[in-house]
Amino acid sequence: MSVPLYQAKAEMFRTLGHPVRIRVLELLQDGPRPVRDLLAEIDVEASNLSQQLAVLRRVGIVVSFREGSLVMYALSTPDVADLLAAGRRILGAVLTDRDGLLVELRAQNRPGART
Amino acid sequence: MSVPLYQAKAEMFRTLGHPVRIRVLELLQDGPRPVRDLLAEIDVEASNLSQQLAVLRRVGIVVSFREGSLVMYALSTPDVADLLAAGRRILGAVLTDRDGLLVELRAQNRPGART
DNA sequence: GAGCGAGTTGAAGATTTTCGCAACTCCGAA
DNA sequence: TTCGGAGTTGCGAAAATCTTCAACTCGCTC
């Protein structure tokens, strides 16, 4: 396996390695959303959010388009949901119970629960 | 959902966001391996590999134990394989064909192919 | 118990990311 | 055509990460 391929994989994962970006992807799992909505839910400066969105766009994990005066974002592939789910499972396996995060995570893993 | 939980998730993904660490996890999918084997396959300095292993250990994604004079590493949970597989699927969906990486990736996704 | 192979750790410099501010673009309404 | 809301971009400072070198620990064997 070539070195560039691991780099591409690493870049992919590194891209998810930021709280704001994770949050964005979780929100987008439910369908396309305007930046304005994301901003309302994430508590971060507009310019910061915009930068994180740019990172996600750069690797192609999300796409954006204009709808009237709003800019919408959407996942470029639904596979992202699998990745997030797998991440949660690992976290569940790994967390003993630091800070009670485990309890919160368990709640999300209930069938039908959204992240 | 609490902020620390996204941070834990982000940390988890960020941990995978390094070529050497990805490579290690892929190798460990086949079962426990001594550091020496990893070193033989990865082309990186011993101390560097050791640091990357420490990162993986710190988040609890791998565990290590001594076997005679060798140090062995193993995945702490087989769920890691799912994560890597999901990552590959996304990469496949996202890559148009920059640098022919797509071809290489396709080969890995053949049923039965290992990473 | 000295020497050696196998790994790890600490520290420092280089590189990359992150984040807030200010300036800018784009669209729609007045 | 000017104004305001919605986002984006450029930039510099602060923080985190990466990489390498040297020193160190742990088991073995002689």
Side-chain angles (χ1 to χ4, degrees):
Chain A
M1 188 161 92
S2 77
V3 172
L5 182 49
Y6 333 133
Q7 290 193 336
K9 291 180 181 179
E11 186 184 2
M12 163 107 284
F13 284 113
R14 203 166 52 241
T15 298
L16 306 200
H18 186 290
V20 169
R21 296 194 295 258
I22 285 280
R23 188 81 176 100
V24 166
L25 294 178
E26 289 181 341
L27 291 169
L28 293 184
Q29 282 182 107
D30 298 334
R33 297 259 213 153
V35 173
R36 184 213 250 132
D37 278 19
L38 301 176
L39 199 49
E41 305 221 37
I42 300 186
D43 188 40
V44 70
E45 284 198 16
S47 71
N48 193 340
L49 176 59
S50 206
Q51 307 232 32
Q52 306 311 333
L53 289 172
V55 172
L56 292 171
R57 243 186 300 123
R58 202 171 305 135
V59 305
I61 228 177
V62 305
V63 295
S64 70
F65 52 95
R66 224 170 224 293
E67 191 127 315
S69 72
L70 303 184
V71 176
M72 308 287 292
Y73 276 82
L75 296 183
S76 68
T77 161
D79 290 332
V80 173
D82 298 346
L83 199 68
L84 296 175
R88 279 198 297 278
R89 277 199 302 282
I90 294 181
L91 212 50
V94 150
L95 248 45
T96 56
D97 199 355
R98 63 182 202 228
D99 309 324
L101 286 184
L102 190 56
V103 175
E104 206 176 334
L105 183 71
R106 287 274 158 72
Q108 293 186 1
N109 281 340
R110 275 192 322 259
R114 277 188 296 93
T115 316
Chain B
M1 187 162 92
S2 77
V3 172
L5 183 49
Y6 334 134
Q7 290 193 336
K9 291 181 182 179
E11 186 185 359
M12 162 107 282
F13 284 114
R14 203 165 52 240
T15 298
L16 305 201
H18 185 290
V20 169
R21 296 194 295 257
I22 285 279
R23 189 78 176 101
V24 166
L25 294 177
E26 288 181 341
L27 290 170
L28 293 184
Q29 282 182 108
D30 297 334
R33 295 259 212 155
V35 173
R36 186 213 250 132
D37 278 20
L38 301 176
L39 199 50
E41 305 221 36
I42 300 184
D43 188 39
V44 68
E45 283 196 17
S47 70
N48 193 338
L49 176 59
S50 206
Q51 306 248 26
Q52 306 310 334
L53 289 173
V55 172
L56 292 172
R57 245 186 298 125
R58 202 172 302 136
V59 305
I61 228 178
V62 305
V63 296
S64 69
F65 52 95
R66 221 169 225 292
E67 191 127 317
S69 72
L70 303 184
V71 176
M72 307 286 293
Y73 275 82
L75 296 183
S76 68
T77 161
D79 289 333
V80 173
D82 297 347
L83 198 68
L84 295 175
R88 278 197 297 277
R89 276 199 302 282
I90 294 181
L91 212 50
V94 150
L95 247 45
T96 56
D97 200 354
R98 65 182 200 230
D99 308 324
L101 286 185
L102 190 57
V103 175
E104 208 175 334
L105 184 69
R106 288 274 159 71
Q108 292 186 359
N109 282 339
R110 276 193 321 258
R114 278 188 295 95
T115 316

